[in-house]
Amino acid sequence: SAGENFLIFPEGAHTADGSLAPFHPGVVLLAQKLGLPVQPLRLRGLDQILHRSWKMARPGRASVHIGPPLDVSGLSVEEATQRVRDAVSRL
């Protein structure tokens, strides 16, 4: 409903070194179906706080970088998915 947000991790897995993996198209398909923009967001430093091989988080610093919303309507799923990944990689 109005005013609610949700977060989708389009890579589908936590990377070991914080680099970006290929994006899955689910976020684009959902945004196109609902007529919503995609808000690019990048979390940096999480690999130093909770590495995917660790059982417990460690103290550390992380940062959140937020880009401008992307309109993915009218684009092919492949083009829109790449556009979202490119926007996240620039953050």
Side-chain angles (χ1 to χ4, degrees):
S1 72
E4 294 182 9
N5 300 291
F6 57 96
L7 180 62
I8 297 174
F9 292 91
E11 295 169 283
H14 187 122
T15 60
D17 61 1
S19 63
L20 291 179
F23 279 24
H24 297 278
V27 66
V28 166
L29 292 169
L30 190 57
Q32 288 178 336
K33 179 75 173 173
L34 297 174
L36 298 171
V38 175
Q39 182 75 59
L41 181 137
R42 187 161 189 182
L43 304 171
R44 290 187 179 267
L46 293 183
D47 56 308
Q48 301 298 313
I49 295 172
L50 181 58
H51 191 273
R52 70 182 193 178
S53 66
W54 302 342
K55 293 185 186 218
M56 294 289 293
R58 297 180 181 171
R61 296 183 64 88
S63 60
V64 179
H65 303 268
I66 302 171
L70 298 175
D71 179 5
V72 295
S73 61
L75 301 173
S76 72
V77 171
E78 295 80 13
E79 182 181 5
T81 301
Q82 186 61 48
R83 201 171 277 189
V84 171
R85 189 183 188 287
D86 291 346
V88 170
S89 72
R90 289 190 297 270
L91 297 175

